[in-house]
């Protein structure tokens, strides 16, 4: 008899089969920081941030991010793609000894590069998206495709990468069923003072198929940017033919006119685009009668300040797949007792149907009293399984009164919510798995460090949840040096199916 370890694993346990590098292991199987250096020589020489992850069909884990490096032109931030084996060891067959490091330049000037999203093609190729920043501050979004061995795929836009235009940014990427690459982020108008939501479409070969932008510009404020992208595709059969539809939701933060001097007012912004039968994208006019929606989480007249960082498809209510809408998440800042804005923050969740109606919303405080300045809580990424449950990654923080001055320590956390947004107490410790390490391997939030998870992915081989982010151990000191932070948690049910990809 062969026993399946996944079936008997406790729901929410760290996976002890995920090993770490011996020099970086802090004593907790399944959770570690990867402090490898890109070779930088400056003050930030070992500073690294892992930003997004995806798991291949063979169980190998692809992580993208950025780190400090030394190039021929000086120190800079370089884009990084790194791959780990099923057991967490570095896959030395990928790229150059386990990673592909991209140093950009513009003549004799360095160019900083940041990868922030990743998607996997069915043929094993890897699509990463992010931003490059030139000397002087001008920036533009990029999307790049790699072969399965980490080499650059020259068949994509003839050089493996495509720039999206000066003044753009790329924060999410999805692959449409026809092979098109869909990138969501920010688009700046020609005057460079109006940042809008942007959707950029590239063909399977990297051909530019155009872009769309959406502006909110509430109260004269013009700083709106999409942080997440959700794709839903479905086919309606109408004999003797059928019609295929792609719906894209861009989710992010929009600026409103401030309540008063020093008091911001931001809302969660949602934009819906739609195309039929492989045509061009346009605004989905059936979504809130025009394609755009601003969502607030009001509690009082001066604390409606919401940043949405994550999104995923809404649970299906029909027996076959149509556009179901979107679930959005992030943090809502709280101003207790007239304290300064952003003195604390909640988790925030909202469910929005295909018509643009908000069918459910809630916000949550964890660990510490929100009347205490500096207690920050946020959802940075999540996904939904076939039962309607949400698996989220993010952080929860200690308030300033319980921590050293001038920093906000936090704990990386993984949480699972039921479809009604209540915590799923069968997962981890009453719905929560803490991701935190000190030098001796002690878990739990500590006043001398900051850790967070920014993205998660589902392992189709072993049913594990992979979370990545960054860790800094002494953030009250300058400079703040970061390392890649990775963890793998057992799902425990053995049959959980995730309905959407995880790079929201």
């Amino acid at each position: 008899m062969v026993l399946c370890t996944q079936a008997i694993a406790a729901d929410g346990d760290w996976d002890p089969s995920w090993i770490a590098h011996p020099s970086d292991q802090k004593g907790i199987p399944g959770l570690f920081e990867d402090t490898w250096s890109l070779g930088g020589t400056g003050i930030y020489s070992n500073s690294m941030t892992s930003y997004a992850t995806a798991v291949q069909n063979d169980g190998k884990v692809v992580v993208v991010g950025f780190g400090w490096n030394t190039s021929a032109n000086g120190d800079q931030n370089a884009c990084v793609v790194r791959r780990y084996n099923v057991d967490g060891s570095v896959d030395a067959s990928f790229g150059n000894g386990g990673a592909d490091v991209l140093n950009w330049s513009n003549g004799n000037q360095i160019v900083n590069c940041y990868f922030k999203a990743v998607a996997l093609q069915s043929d094993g190729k890897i699509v990463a998206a992010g931003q490059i920043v030139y000397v002087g501050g001008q920036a533009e979004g990029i999307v790049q495709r790699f072969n399965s061995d980490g080499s650059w795929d020259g068949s994509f836009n003839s050089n493996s990468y495509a720039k999206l235009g000066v003044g753009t940014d790329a924060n999410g990427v999805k692959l449409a069923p026809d092979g098109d690459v869909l990138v969501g982020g920010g688009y700046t108008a020609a005057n460079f003072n109006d940042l809008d939501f942007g959707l950029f479409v590239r063909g399977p070969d990297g051909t530019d198929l155009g872009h769309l932008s959406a502006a909110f510009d509430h109260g004269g404020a013009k700083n709106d940017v999409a942080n997440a992208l959700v794709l839903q595709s479905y086919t309606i059969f109408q004999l003797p033919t059928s019609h295929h539809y792609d719906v894209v939701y861009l989710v992010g933060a929009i600026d409103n006119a401030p309540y008063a001097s020093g008091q911001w007012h931001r809302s969660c912004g949602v934009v819906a685009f739609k195309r039929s039968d492989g045509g061009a994208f346009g605004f989905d006019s059936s979504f809130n009668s025009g394609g755009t929606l601003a969502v607030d989480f009001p509690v009082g007249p001066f604390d409606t300040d919401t940043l949405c960082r994550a999104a995923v498809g809404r649970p299906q209510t029909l027996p076959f797949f149509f556009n179901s809408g979107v679930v959005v998440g992030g943090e809502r800042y709280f101003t207790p007792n007239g304290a300064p804005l952003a003195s604390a923050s909640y988790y925030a969740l909202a469910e929005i149907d295909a018509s643009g109606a908000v069918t459910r919303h809630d916000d949550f405080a964890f660990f510490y009293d929100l009347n205490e300045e500096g207690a920050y809580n946020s959802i940075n990424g999540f996904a939904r399984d076939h039962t309607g449950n949400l698996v989220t990654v993010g952080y929860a923080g200690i308030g300033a009164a319980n921590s050293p001055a001038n920093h906000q320590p936090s704990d990386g956390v993984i949480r699972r919510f039921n479809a009604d947004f209540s915590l799923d107490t069968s997962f981890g410790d009453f719905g929560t798995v803490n991701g935190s390490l000190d030098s001796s391997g002690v878990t739990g939030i500590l006043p001398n460090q900051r850790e967070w998870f920014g993205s998660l992915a589902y392992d189709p081989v072993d049913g594990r949840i992979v979370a990545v982010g960054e860790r800094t151990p002494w953030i009250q000191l300058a400079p703040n040096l970061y390392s890649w932070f990775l963890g793998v948690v057992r799902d425990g049910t053995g049959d959980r199916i995730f309905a959407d990809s995880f790079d929201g």
Side-chain angles (χ1 to χ4, degrees):
M1 178 181 296
V2 177
L3 296 178
C4 177
T5 57
Q6 164 65 12
I8 62 176
D11 210 359
D13 279 356
W14 291 109
D15 181 6
S17 70
W18 175 270
I19 66 171
H21 311 279
S23 61
D24 299 324
Q25 176 65 40
K26 297 295 187 279
I28 302 174
L31 180 66
F32 70 97
E33 62 175 326
D34 190 350
T35 57
W36 62 292
S37 173
L38 296 184
T41 59
I43 194 170
Y44 298 99
S45 60
N46 293 314
S47 193
M48 302 281 296
T49 295
S50 56
Y51 216 96
T53 185
V55 184
Q56 300 179 169
N57 289 331
D58 60 2
K60 291 186 177 182
V61 177
V62 176
V63 181
V64 301
F66 48 89
W68 198 254
N69 194 17
T70 299
S71 70
N73 298 319
D75 288 329
Q76 67 182 121
N77 274 308
C79 280
V80 180
V81 183
R82 189 159 168 87
R83 192 164 70 189
Y84 300 86
N85 293 310
V86 176
D87 64 358
S89 60
V90 174
D91 181 6
S93 69
F94 183 82
N96 183 14
D100 199 338
V101 179
L102 289 81
N103 292 300
W104 285 73
S105 63
N106 183 25
N108 61 355
Q109 295 179 331
I110 63 173
V111 176
N112 290 314
C113 183
Y114 309 88
F115 274 156
K116 297 183 284 186
V118 64
L120 303 179
Q121 295 187 175
S122 59
D123 60 2
K125 292 184 177 182
I126 300 164
V127 180
Q131 189 180 50
I132 54 177
V133 181
Y134 301 98
V135 173
Q138 280 194 337
E140 59 182 321
I142 58 168
V143 57
Q144 184 161 4
R145 193 164 69 192
F146 301 85
N147 294 309
S148 59
D149 62 358
S151 60
W152 294 18
D153 179 12
S155 67
F156 185 79
N157 204 38
S158 75
N159 56 12
S160 85
Y161 65 88
K163 298 180 181 180
L164 304 179
V166 174
T168 61
D169 194 4
N171 295 320
V173 62
K174 297 285 186 181
L175 303 174
D178 62 358
D180 284 351
V181 178
L182 311 178
V183 181
Y187 172 79
T188 306
N191 56 15
F192 294 106
N193 65 0
D194 188 356
L195 183 63
D196 301 328
F197 283 35
L199 173 67
F200 309 89
V201 184
R202 291 278 170 167
D205 61 355
T207 302
D208 186 359
L209 300 181
H211 73 272
L212 288 167
S213 62
F216 288 87
D217 296 346
H218 289 177
K222 296 184 176 182
N223 187 25
D224 310 323
V225 63
N227 296 320
L229 181 152
V230 171
L231 169 66
Q232 297 193 44
S233 300
Y234 59 96
T235 299
I236 296 179
F237 293 94
Q238 297 173 321
L239 295 177
T241 186
S242 62
H243 296 283
H244 179 84
Y245 297 90
D246 294 312
V247 178
V248 170
Y249 293 101
L250 295 183
V251 175
I254 60 177
D255 274 349
N256 305 298
Y259 291 117
S261 178
Q263 290 194 328
W264 299 340
H265 174 198
R266 290 167 292 192
S267 303
C268 177
V270 185
V271 180
F273 298 108
K274 189 175 184 178
R275 70 176 175 181
S276 173
D277 296 328
F281 277 99
F283 286 97
D284 184 357
S285 59
S286 65
F287 183 80
N288 197 37
S289 302
T292 64
L293 175 70
V295 182
D296 285 317
F297 293 76
V299 173
F302 299 111
D303 57 13
T304 300
D305 185 41
T306 306
L307 295 175
C308 277
R309 295 188 171 97
V312 74
R314 185 170 173 265
Q316 289 294 316
T317 58
L318 297 172
F320 32 78
F321 192 81
F322 285 95
N323 172 27
S324 62
V326 65
V327 178
V328 301
E331 65 181 312
R332 186 187 67 76
Y333 288 99
F334 182 60
T335 56
N337 304 321
L341 185 74
S343 59
S345 63
Y346 287 115
Y347 270 47
L349 283 169
E351 183 181 82
I352 303 162
D353 69 17
S355 72
V358 179
T359 58
R360 179 183 291 113
H361 75 270
D362 210 341
D363 41 49
F364 313 85
F366 292 101
F367 292 136
Y368 295 94
D369 183 1
L370 278 180
N371 284 303
E372 183 182 320
E373 182 180 352
Y376 296 105
N377 300 262
S378 179
I379 294 172
N380 293 332
F382 55 46
R384 178 181 58 81
D385 66 26
H386 70 293
T387 69
N389 286 1
L390 290 168
V391 178
T392 74
V393 294
Y395 60 84
I398 295 176
N402 288 326
S403 62
N406 302 321
H407 80 293
Q408 295 81 37
S410 60
D411 208 6
V413 290
I414 304 172
R415 293 194 173 99
R416 195 165 72 201
F417 294 90
N418 296 309
D420 64 358
F421 291 174
S422 62
L423 274 173
D424 180 1
T425 57
S426 67
F427 180 78
D429 185 9
F430 298 101
T432 300
V433 178
N434 294 334
S436 181
L437 295 170
D438 71 4
S439 59
S440 63
V442 175
T443 58
I445 192 165
L446 299 170
N448 62 348
Q449 64 192 41
R450 183 170 65 196
E451 292 152 334
W452 57 265
F453 290 124
S455 176
L456 73 159
Y458 179 69
D459 179 354
V461 176
D462 292 321
R464 306 178 299 178
I465 298 165
V466 180
V468 302
E470 71 177 15
R471 176 179 191 267
T472 182
W474 290 100
I475 61 176
Q476 73 271 34
L477 302 177
N480 295 334
L481 300 178
Y482 300 97
S483 59
W484 287 35
F485 191 47
L486 302 94
V488 176
V489 171
R490 285 290 187 180
D491 178 72
T493 62
D495 61 352
R496 197 171 292 275
I497 301 170
F498 282 83
D500 296 276
S501 56
F502 285 73
D503 53 324

